[in-house]
């Protein structure tokens, strides 16, 4: 059975890489984007309810500015209706309500447009509603550890009761908070896109090196070690880790496994003899041996182990290069 696994390593590597790529893609587009998209839908429904109340209020108002307010409300409502058009925010792989693929770039742009619509609704609210929202925002900013946001709350409290100034400050503070929120999420989305790109290129490198160097089984075990490392870390600390670490750890472990075996073979060479004869015959030249596979698993599990061995190998090369530079080429007689 062991020989069969070794012989079928090519197909196993293809299968593992394809399944992992599918999991990464669905995770980045569905499991990460879906909660933010559900919150986006709830906020859109809240804006629709506010727009309906404003429409009833404006229709009962017969002042001079009611026509302009009605036109502004109509434009905002049309903008909210555009979010329901297929393809504007979410691309569904499955029909109806199964959201498993959400482009993060579309979601970020939709949040900015929604925040703009919420600001436009603030311009149309009645003074009583503005005072209520200003009070709620002051209570929120009072407990904010950011000194800039705390100062916004203090300035809002200083203009309480002055309807025009309070409305202007409320709109300005809301726009600033929305900008901070959008910038934070877009920065997070950018990190996720970078992690996805590194995962894609890393999987391609795993396939290429696995077929070219005949280290498929050791790379599979390195990937297993890379998967176990953040898993055990989360279980021990009981704290969630970043999505980029979870995605890149198995790929990095698979790539570190053959590189670590090559470093072990170098440091176990008789001319250096830093690791002993055991690793000389159970490393790069014999990747299917149990000790080699265990070493590959350790390299995939611990990136620190790979870096320490790399520094040890560098320490063996630098003095030699320095001596060669000092002595220079031999002189001719």
């Amino acid at each position: 059975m062991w020989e069969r696994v070794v012989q079928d390593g090519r197909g196993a590597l293809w299968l593992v890489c394809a399944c992992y790529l599918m999991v990464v893609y669905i995770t980045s587009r569905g499991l990460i984007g879906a909660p933010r998209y559900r919150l986006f839908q709830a906020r859109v429904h809240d804006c629709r309810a506010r727009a309906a109340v404003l429409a009833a209020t404006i229709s009962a108002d017969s002042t001079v500015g009611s026509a302009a307010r009605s036109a502004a409300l109509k434009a905002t409502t049309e903008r909210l209706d555009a979010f329901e058009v297929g393809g504007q925010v979410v691309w569904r792989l499955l029909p109806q309500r199964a959201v498993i693929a959400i482009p993060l770039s579309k979601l970020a742009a939709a949040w900015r447009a929604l925040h703009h619509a919420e600001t436009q609704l603030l311009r149309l609210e009645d003074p009583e509603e503005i005072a209520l929202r200003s009070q709620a925002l002051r209570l929120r900013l009072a407990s904010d550890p950011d000194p800039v946001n705390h100062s916004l709350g203090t300035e809002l409290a200083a203009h309480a009761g002055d309807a025009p100034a309070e409305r202007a400050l409320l709109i300005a503070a809301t726009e600033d908070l929305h900008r901070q929120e959008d910038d934070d999420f877009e920065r997070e989305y950018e990190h996720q896109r970078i992690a996805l790109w590194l995962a894609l290129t890393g999987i391609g490198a795993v396939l290429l090196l696995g077929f070219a160097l005949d280290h498929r089984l050791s790379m599979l075990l390195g990937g297993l070690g890379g998967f176990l490392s953040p898993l055990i870390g989360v279980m021990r600390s009981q704290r969630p880790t970043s999505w980029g670490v979870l995605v890149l750890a198995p790929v990095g472990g698979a790539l570190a496994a053959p590189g670590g075996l090559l470093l072990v073979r170098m440091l176990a060479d008789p001319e250096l003899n830093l690791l002993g004869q055991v690793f000389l015959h159970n490393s790069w030249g014999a990747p299917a041996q149990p000790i080699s596979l265990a070493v590959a698993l350790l390299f995939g599990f611990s990136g620190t182990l790979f870096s320490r061995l790399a520094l040890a190998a560098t320490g063996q090369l630098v003095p030699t290069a320095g001596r060669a530079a000092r002595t220079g080429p031999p002189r001719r007689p």
Side-chain angles (χ1 to χ4, degrees):
M1 180 179 180
W2 185 258
E3 290 78 6
R4 183 177 180 182
V5 171
V6 174
Q7 293 176 359
D8 295 341
R10 184 184 299 269
L13 187 62
W14 270 106
L15 180 61
V16 170
C17 288
C19 293
Y20 187 74
L21 180 61
M22 183 180 300
V23 169
V24 168
Y25 182 80
I26 294 177
T27 300
S28 63
R29 293 297 184 93
L31 298 181
I32 293 177
R36 184 74 175 157
Y37 176 67
R38 298 303 186 192
L39 180 60
F40 173 81
Q41 286 182 316
R43 293 277 285 271
V44 170
H45 293 160
D46 292 341
C47 288
R48 287 182 178 277
R50 290 171 57 187
V53 174
L54 281 173
T57 304
I58 293 174
S59 62
D61 190 3
S62 59
T63 58
V64 178
S66 60
R69 295 179 64 195
S70 179
L73 180 61
K74 180 180 179 182
T76 304
T77 305
E78 291 176 354
R79 190 68 184 93
L80 294 174
D81 293 337
F83 293 137
E84 301 297 332
V85 178
Q88 290 293 324
V89 179
V90 59
W91 170 50
R92 303 173 186 270
L93 290 180
L94 295 180
Q96 302 302 324
R97 300 180 180 177
V99 180
I100 62 174
I102 301 176
L104 299 181
S105 59
K106 287 186 177 182
L107 187 58
W111 269 104
R112 284 195 179 272
L114 177 60
H115 286 157
H116 179 71
E118 290 179 342
T119 304
Q120 294 301 319
L121 290 177
L122 284 178
R123 301 177 188 272
L124 304 174
E125 296 282 1
D126 293 334
E128 295 80 6
E129 184 68 21
I130 290 296
L132 179 61
R133 292 186 178 276
S134 178
Q135 177 65 23
L137 185 58
R138 289 200 303 270
L139 293 175
R140 172 188 169 187
L141 296 178
S143 58
D144 198 312
D146 191 348
V148 176
N149 294 339
H150 188 75
S151 65
L152 285 176
T154 303
E155 191 170 358
L156 277 173
H159 292 80
D162 186 0
E166 189 174 19
R167 182 188 297 270
L169 284 174
L170 177 61
I171 293 175
T174 303
E175 287 181 345
D176 186 68
L177 293 175
H178 286 168
R179 180 188 56 79
Q180 295 178 21
E181 181 182 355
D182 292 333
D183 291 344
D184 291 341
F185 276 103
E186 287 181 3
R187 193 178 302 112
E188 180 183 351
Y189 295 156
E190 183 64 24
H191 292 165
Q192 293 171 4
R193 283 191 289 266
I194 292 174
L196 180 61
W197 182 85
L198 290 175
L200 292 175
T201 55
I203 290 175
V206 167
L207 291 173
L208 180 62
L209 294 177
F211 297 149
L213 301 178
D214 197 20
H215 278 253
R216 295 180 289 273
L217 194 56
S218 60
M219 297 184 83
L220 289 174
L221 286 176
L224 176 61
F227 173 77
L228 292 176
S229 178
L231 175 63
I232 294 177
V234 171
M235 294 175 61
R236 292 178 60 184
S237 62
Q238 299 297 323
R239 291 181 300 176
T241 186
S242 65
W243 182 85
V245 173
L246 293 176
V247 169
L248 294 178
V251 180
L255 293 175
L261 291 177
L262 184 59
L263 289 177
V264 168
R265 175 60 181 83
M266 171 187 170
L267 297 177
D269 192 85
E271 296 184 2
L272 297 178
N273 196 24
L274 295 179
L275 294 180
Q277 295 294 320
V278 175
F279 294 102
L280 178 64
H281 304 290
N282 293 276
S283 56
W284 179 260
Q289 295 298 322
I291 295 181
S292 299
L293 296 177
V295 171
L297 180 65
L298 291 177
F299 275 112
F301 182 82
S302 175
T304 306
L305 177 62
F306 181 85
S307 62
R308 287 180 178 177
L309 279 185
L311 291 175
T314 304
Q316 297 299 318
L317 295 177
V318 170
T320 303
R323 288 194 301 269
R326 288 193 299 268
T327 57
R331 297 182 178 178
R332 294 184 180 181

